[in-house]
Amino acid sequence: MPAEDAWRIGSGEERFIAASELLLSWAPLRVEELSISDVRPASGEGYAGVGFDAEGAPVAPSRLEAEQRFAADGTPFVSPGTGVKLHGKVDGHRADAELRVISVFEEPRRVGFILGTVGHSIVSGEELFALEWRDNDEVWFVVRAFDRPTAPSYKLFTSLVRRRRKALFARYLRAISPLFTS
């Protein structure tokens, strides 16, 4: 089941930079009843992804080893291949999952990452978390997801999946929006 939502969270470079730091330090997964543990950066060389220039032409990634960055609490920033365990509740239901970062992008006006489920979870799928600093100077937070239920209750009652997703999207916004973080 695909889903997408976007919210204007401010404007200007300062807002974009502050929101980018929050996003890349796992803030969407560390809000309210959600927490992360066992953050494991990928070992060895992994897929670095491909970037695109302003005309849409592919640009090969840098072969230089990127310096690992850390959040204020010492948690490694989001990076490709990183595994993490999510714990908590959403709408009164357990939200435990093992996740892996599929890709990360840090462009001058766009920052984000794609996260996918690994192993057993209530739903199986991927989520995109992105910040866009648009040409009109507005900063937007975009979340896209596609998933399918794996738990019997979610397979029978697909409305539970939609309700769970809506609750998760609201939490993600609270983690990134200045209305909730300041």
PDB file of all heavy atoms in Angstrom, residues 99-116:
ATOM      1  N   LEU A  99      15.477  -2.695  10.888  1.00  0.00           N
ATOM      2  CA  LEU A  99      15.476  -1.862   9.683  1.00  0.00           C
ATOM      3  C   LEU A  99      16.892  -1.693   9.151  1.00  0.00           C
ATOM      4  O   LEU A  99      17.860  -1.810   9.904  1.00  0.00           O
ATOM      5  CB  LEU A  99      14.887  -0.486  10.005  1.00  0.00           C
ATOM      6  CG  LEU A  99      13.515  -0.490  10.680  1.00  0.00           C
ATOM      7  CD1 LEU A  99      13.188   0.887  11.232  1.00  0.00           C
ATOM      8  CD2 LEU A  99      12.453  -0.956   9.714  1.00  0.00           C
ATOM      9  N   ARG A 100      16.982  -1.394   7.863  1.00  0.00           N
ATOM     10  CA  ARG A 100      18.281  -1.116   7.256  1.00  0.00           C
ATOM     11  C   ARG A 100      18.147   0.092   6.342  1.00  0.00           C
ATOM     12  O   ARG A 100      17.169   0.223   5.620  1.00  0.00           O
ATOM     13  CB  ARG A 100      18.776  -2.308   6.445  1.00  0.00           C
ATOM     14  CG  ARG A 100      20.159  -2.046   5.815  1.00  0.00           C
ATOM     15  CD  ARG A 100      20.833  -3.284   5.277  1.00  0.00           C
ATOM     16  NE  ARG A 100      21.083  -4.219   6.362  1.00  0.00           N
ATOM     17  CZ  ARG A 100      20.703  -5.510   6.333  1.00  0.00           C
ATOM     18  NH1 ARG A 100      20.071  -5.994   5.294  1.00  0.00           N
ATOM     19  NH2 ARG A 100      20.972  -6.294   7.349  1.00  0.00           N
ATOM     20  N   VAL A 101      19.164   0.953   6.378  1.00  0.00           N
ATOM     21  CA  VAL A 101      19.201   2.121   5.502  1.00  0.00           C
ATOM     22  C   VAL A 101      19.610   1.645   4.109  1.00  0.00           C
ATOM     23  O   VAL A 101      20.684   1.072   3.931  1.00  0.00           O
ATOM     24  CB  VAL A 101      20.186   3.190   6.020  1.00  0.00           C
ATOM     25  CG1 VAL A 101      20.252   4.369   5.052  1.00  0.00           C
ATOM     26  CG2 VAL A 101      19.796   3.648   7.411  1.00  0.00           C
ATOM     27  N   ILE A 102      18.746   1.874   3.145  1.00  0.00           N
ATOM     28  CA  ILE A 102      18.998   1.448   1.773  1.00  0.00           C
ATOM     29  C   ILE A 102      19.869   2.459   1.052  1.00  0.00           C
ATOM     30  O   ILE A 102      20.813   2.099   0.362  1.00  0.00           O
ATOM     31  CB  ILE A 102      17.662   1.237   1.030  1.00  0.00           C
ATOM     32  CG1 ILE A 102      16.884   0.112   1.719  1.00  0.00           C
ATOM     33  CG2 ILE A 102      17.897   0.947  -0.444  1.00  0.00           C
ATOM     34  CD1 ILE A 102      15.448   0.011   1.308  1.00  0.00           C
ATOM     35  N   SER A 103      19.547   3.738   1.217  1.00  0.00           N
ATOM     36  CA  SER A 103      20.371   4.774   0.594  1.00  0.00           C
ATOM     37  C   SER A 103      20.199   6.091   1.338  1.00  0.00           C
ATOM     38  O   SER A 103      19.216   6.290   2.053  1.00  0.00           O
ATOM     39  CB  SER A 103      20.019   4.954  -0.885  1.00  0.00           C
ATOM     40  OG  SER A 103      18.729   5.475  -1.026  1.00  0.00           O
ATOM     41  N   VAL A 104      21.180   6.956   1.158  1.00  0.00           N
ATOM     42  CA  VAL A 104      21.190   8.290   1.764  1.00  0.00           C
ATOM     43  C   VAL A 104      21.565   9.281   0.675  1.00  0.00           C
ATOM     44  O   VAL A 104      22.413   8.989  -0.162  1.00  0.00           O
ATOM     45  CB  VAL A 104      22.228   8.377   2.908  1.00  0.00           C
ATOM     46  CG1 VAL A 104      22.274   9.775   3.500  1.00  0.00           C
ATOM     47  CG2 VAL A 104      21.944   7.345   3.986  1.00  0.00           C
ATOM     48  N   PHE A 105      20.921  10.429   0.674  1.00  0.00           N
ATOM     49  CA  PHE A 105      21.308  11.473  -0.278  1.00  0.00           C
ATOM     50  C   PHE A 105      21.445  12.787   0.457  1.00  0.00           C
ATOM     51  O   PHE A 105      20.646  13.121   1.331  1.00  0.00           O
ATOM     52  CB  PHE A 105      20.321  11.578  -1.453  1.00  0.00           C
ATOM     53  CG  PHE A 105      18.875  11.659  -1.048  1.00  0.00           C
ATOM     54  CD1 PHE A 105      18.252  12.881  -0.867  1.00  0.00           C
ATOM     55  CD2 PHE A 105      18.138  10.501  -0.838  1.00  0.00           C
ATOM     56  CE1 PHE A 105      16.921  12.948  -0.492  1.00  0.00           C
ATOM     57  CE2 PHE A 105      16.799  10.562  -0.459  1.00  0.00           C
ATOM     58  CZ  PHE A 105      16.190  11.789  -0.289  1.00  0.00           C
ATOM     59  N   GLU A 106      22.523  13.494   0.153  1.00  0.00           N
ATOM     60  CA  GLU A 106      22.787  14.819   0.715  1.00  0.00           C
ATOM     61  C   GLU A 106      23.192  15.719  -0.435  1.00  0.00           C
ATOM     62  O   GLU A 106      24.334  15.726  -0.859  1.00  0.00           O
ATOM     63  CB  GLU A 106      23.889  14.762   1.769  1.00  0.00           C
ATOM     64  CG  GLU A 106      23.474  14.047   3.035  1.00  0.00           C
ATOM     65  CD  GLU A 106      24.531  14.135   4.123  1.00  0.00           C
ATOM     66  OE1 GLU A 106      24.686  15.244   4.692  1.00  0.00           O
ATOM     67  OE2 GLU A 106      25.185  13.134   4.383  1.00  0.00           O
ATOM     68  N   GLU A 107      22.220  16.432  -0.932  1.00  0.00           N
ATOM     69  CA  GLU A 107      22.421  17.359  -2.037  1.00  0.00           C
ATOM     70  C   GLU A 107      22.270  18.775  -1.500  1.00  0.00           C
ATOM     71  O   GLU A 107      21.765  18.965  -0.397  1.00  0.00           O
ATOM     72  CB  GLU A 107      21.398  17.059  -3.132  1.00  0.00           C
ATOM     73  CG  GLU A 107      21.505  15.636  -3.676  1.00  0.00           C
ATOM     74  CD  GLU A 107      20.282  15.195  -4.469  1.00  0.00           C
ATOM     75  OE1 GLU A 107      19.349  16.017  -4.672  1.00  0.00           O
ATOM     76  OE2 GLU A 107      20.251  14.019  -4.868  1.00  0.00           O
ATOM     77  N   PRO A 108      22.683  19.787  -2.259  1.00  0.00           N
ATOM     78  CA  PRO A 108      22.594  21.155  -1.744  1.00  0.00           C
ATOM     79  C   PRO A 108      21.187  21.573  -1.288  1.00  0.00           C
ATOM     80  O   PRO A 108      21.053  22.336  -0.344  1.00  0.00           O
ATOM     81  CB  PRO A 108      23.059  22.004  -2.926  1.00  0.00           C
ATOM     82  CG  PRO A 108      23.976  21.103  -3.690  1.00  0.00           C
ATOM     83  CD  PRO A 108      23.371  19.728  -3.549  1.00  0.00           C
ATOM     84  N   ARG A 109      20.128  21.076  -1.917  1.00  0.00           N
ATOM     85  CA  ARG A 109      18.776  21.500  -1.550  1.00  0.00           C
ATOM     86  C   ARG A 109      17.852  20.319  -1.275  1.00  0.00           C
ATOM     87  O   ARG A 109      16.636  20.471  -1.238  1.00  0.00           O
ATOM     88  CB  ARG A 109      18.205  22.402  -2.642  1.00  0.00           C
ATOM     89  CG  ARG A 109      19.045  23.686  -2.813  1.00  0.00           C
ATOM     90  CD  ARG A 109      18.489  24.588  -3.875  1.00  0.00           C
ATOM     91  NE  ARG A 109      17.309  25.316  -3.456  1.00  0.00           N
ATOM     92  CZ  ARG A 109      17.298  26.508  -2.881  1.00  0.00           C
ATOM     93  NH1 ARG A 109      18.429  27.123  -2.621  1.00  0.00           N
ATOM     94  NH2 ARG A 109      16.152  27.094  -2.570  1.00  0.00           N
ATOM     95  N   ARG A 110      18.420  19.155  -1.062  1.00  0.00           N
ATOM     96  CA  ARG A 110      17.615  17.955  -0.809  1.00  0.00           C
ATOM     97  C   ARG A 110      18.440  16.973   0.023  1.00  0.00           C
ATOM     98  O   ARG A 110      19.576  16.649  -0.329  1.00  0.00           O
ATOM     99  CB  ARG A 110      17.234  17.334  -2.150  1.00  0.00           C
ATOM    100  CG  ARG A 110      16.217  16.247  -2.065  1.00  0.00           C
ATOM    101  CD  ARG A 110      15.730  15.905  -3.489  1.00  0.00           C
ATOM    102  NE  ARG A 110      15.030  14.646  -3.446  1.00  0.00           N
ATOM    103  CZ  ARG A 110      15.566  13.466  -3.764  1.00  0.00           C
ATOM    104  NH1 ARG A 110      16.793  13.388  -4.196  1.00  0.00           N
ATOM    105  NH2 ARG A 110      14.853  12.366  -3.678  1.00  0.00           N
ATOM    106  N   VAL A 111      17.869  16.515   1.130  1.00  0.00           N
ATOM    107  CA  VAL A 111      18.551  15.586   2.035  1.00  0.00           C
ATOM    108  C   VAL A 111      17.547  14.520   2.450  1.00  0.00           C
ATOM    109  O   VAL A 111      16.372  14.816   2.678  1.00  0.00           O
ATOM    110  CB  VAL A 111      19.077  16.326   3.298  1.00  0.00           C
ATOM    111  CG1 VAL A 111      19.585  15.362   4.346  1.00  0.00           C
ATOM    112  CG2 VAL A 111      20.165  17.313   2.916  1.00  0.00           C
ATOM    113  N   GLY A 112      18.017  13.281   2.569  1.00  0.00           N
ATOM    114  CA  GLY A 112      17.110  12.253   3.046  1.00  0.00           C
ATOM    115  C   GLY A 112      17.697  10.868   2.987  1.00  0.00           C
ATOM    116  O   GLY A 112      18.867  10.678   2.671  1.00  0.00           O
ATOM    117  N   PHE A 113      16.843   9.897   3.306  1.00  0.00           N
ATOM    118  CA  PHE A 113      17.265   8.504   3.262  1.00  0.00           C
ATOM    119  C   PHE A 113      16.058   7.596   3.059  1.00  0.00           C
ATOM    120  O   PHE A 113      14.916   7.985   3.268  1.00  0.00           O
ATOM    121  CB  PHE A 113      18.046   8.107   4.518  1.00  0.00           C
ATOM    122  CG  PHE A 113      17.282   8.159   5.810  1.00  0.00           C
ATOM    123  CD1 PHE A 113      16.716   7.012   6.353  1.00  0.00           C
ATOM    124  CD2 PHE A 113      17.161   9.345   6.519  1.00  0.00           C
ATOM    125  CE1 PHE A 113      16.035   7.052   7.563  1.00  0.00           C
ATOM    126  CE2 PHE A 113      16.487   9.390   7.731  1.00  0.00           C
ATOM    127  CZ  PHE A 113      15.915   8.242   8.244  1.00  0.00           C
ATOM    128  N   ILE A 114      16.372   6.370   2.625  1.00  0.00           N
ATOM    129  CA  ILE A 114      15.358   5.342   2.437  1.00  0.00           C
ATOM    130  C   ILE A 114      15.669   4.218   3.408  1.00  0.00           C
ATOM    131  O   ILE A 114      16.811   3.763   3.501  1.00  0.00           O
ATOM    132  CB  ILE A 114      15.353   4.824   0.982  1.00  0.00           C
ATOM    133  CG1 ILE A 114      15.054   5.971   0.021  1.00  0.00           C
ATOM    134  CG2 ILE A 114      14.333   3.690   0.829  1.00  0.00           C
ATOM    135  CD1 ILE A 114      15.238   5.615  -1.433  1.00  0.00           C
ATOM    136  N   LEU A 115      14.646   3.780   4.116  1.00  0.00           N
ATOM    137  CA  LEU A 115      14.771   2.773   5.162  1.00  0.00           C
ATOM    138  C   LEU A 115      13.864   1.604   4.818  1.00  0.00           C
ATOM    139  O   LEU A 115      12.714   1.817   4.411  1.00  0.00           O
ATOM    140  CB  LEU A 115      14.313   3.425   6.472  1.00  0.00           C
ATOM    141  CG  LEU A 115      14.626   2.813   7.796  1.00  0.00           C
ATOM    142  CD1 LEU A 115      16.130   2.697   8.017  1.00  0.00           C
ATOM    143  CD2 LEU A 115      14.035   3.670   8.901  1.00  0.00           C
ATOM    144  N   GLY A 116      14.363   0.382   4.957  1.00  0.00           N
ATOM    145  CA  GLY A 116      13.558  -0.796   4.654  1.00  0.00           C
ATOM    146  C   GLY A 116      13.541  -1.785   5.805  1.00  0.00           C
ATOM    147  O   GLY A 116      14.453  -1.806   6.626  1.00  0.00           O
TER     148      GLY A 116
END
